[in-house]
Amino acid sequence: SVAEIVFFLLGAMTIVELIDAHDGFQNITEKIKTTKKSKFIWTIALLTFFLSAVLDNLTSTIVMLSIINKLVKEKNTKWHLLGLVIISSNAGGAWSPIGDVTTTMLWMNHKVNAGSLVSHLFLPAIVSLLVPLVIATKMKAFKGSIQQIALSEKTKKQSVIMLVLGLFLIILVPIIKMTTHLPPYMGMMFSLGLISIVAEIISKRQFSLTDITTTNSHISPTFKALTKIELPSILFFLGILMTIAAMESMGMIYGFGVQVQKSMDVNVFVTLLGVASAIIDNVPIVAASMGMFQFALDHEIWHFIAFAAGTGGSMLIIGSAAGVVAMGMEKISFFWYLKRITLLAALGYFSGIAVFLVQLI
């Protein structure tokens, strides 16, 4: 089961790198024309929200970081924007089976169905974004206009093809799962195979079986993409999942879950799990919860766990993969994020929980 998740993530990241190698995301950059900060943050936040549901929150953060660097040069504005991008990407990833490692884990371990996850969590997720976004428009950092950096490059036809095809093939993965009942990683490998063929044709590389064992293999766009994926992140998730699996095999996690259900309300516990995910990380939180509880497929608690772990990590910059990558790439201070973004994320998190609980009534 751990290997399935690893191969799924490898396939998804390779597809994204193939899109980026052909400047597919440049198409999105060219469509953003507004310079008014209040409109610009809505454009960036909503774009991130829906993009992360397709790509995943880590990848969408990297893509949006690249876009923001091409459009904005003022450091203070850029950091505030990235704070909203972290909130948006985590909220967007929470309602999609391919939007976050945690939702992917729940989906691949037969805890939730893709359609049910989307229908139950879309409204709480969008509320958890809209509340911080509305408050952010009143902040001083988002008043006035943005001094955009002039774009000199124009996209080629092949970049549009790769962007549309790549996003379509990633969306196709849950559909393949629902129609064929094959494991999700097989659908992702199928999509990777199709886009790799198209990438080979676009690059006009003459295919030869001997290229695989010769020095000419680096010409392949797929091989190039494989060298650029975030392998340290994959190994990080692998280590966490194997650790949790070892604890689960000894009965430690299940025993803890039994004690929790005896001592407190499950909804309160899941809310606290979301807060804990901001301090630890949402991946071990969800991995442990799958061993704690024995609820049926699509039980409301699985949906609640997916939402709480996904959006709760936004409250600290170290609480999610999206926050960590933004912190590393832009050198955002932990305490800067704590002072300016944490409260916004917390308000969004608890607003989303309120909407989720109201839906259950």
Side-chain angles (χ1 to χ4, degrees), residues 57 90 100-103 105 236-237 240 273-274 276-289 305-314 318-322:
N57 55 2
N90 288 333
D100 193 322
V101 177
T102 54
T103 54
M105 286 162 55
F236 172 74
F237 295 138
I240 287 175
L273 278 184
S277 71
I279 302 167
I280 306 169
D281 187 76
N282 55 2
V283 175
I285 292 289
V286 172
S289 68
I305 288 171
F307 174 79
T311 57
S314 302
I318 60 171
S320 65

Side-chain angles (χ1 to χ4, degrees), residues 32-72:
I32 302 174
K33 302 293 184 182
T34 182
T35 56
K36 191 176 179 182
K37 286 184 180 179
S38 56
K39 289 183 179 180
F40 189 78
I41 62 170
W42 278 85
T43 304
I44 292 294
L46 292 175
L47 179 60
T48 307
F49 180 80
F50 289 104
L51 196 63
S52 64
V54 180
L55 300 182
D56 76 56
N57 55 2
L58 172 63
T59 306
S60 63
T61 301
I62 295 171
V63 170
M64 295 311 297
L65 179 58
S66 174
I67 290 173
I68 290 171
N69 278 330
K70 289 178 181 177
L71 295 174
V72 183

Side-chain angles (χ1 to χ4, degrees), residues 4 20 52 61-62 71 107 113 125 138 143 201 208 214-215 221 227 230 234-235 238 258 261 265-266 293 317 358:
E4 286 185 11
D20 192 45
S52 64
T61 301
I62 295 171
L71 295 174
W107 178 46
N113 281 319
K138 309 295 182 183
K143 299 290 184 183
I201 293 169
S208 172
T214 65
T215 55
T227 63
E230 278 285 315
I234 297 288
L235 295 175
L238 175 63
V258 171
Q261 292 180 68
D265 182 72
V266 178
F293 305 118
I317 198 168
V358 168

Side-chain angles (χ1 to χ4, degrees), residues 96-98 107 114 169-179 184:
S96 166
I98 55 176
W107 178 46
L169 288 174
I170 293 175
I171 295 171
L172 190 66
V173 174
I175 299 172
I176 293 173
K177 164 71 167 62
M178 287 186 285
T179 54

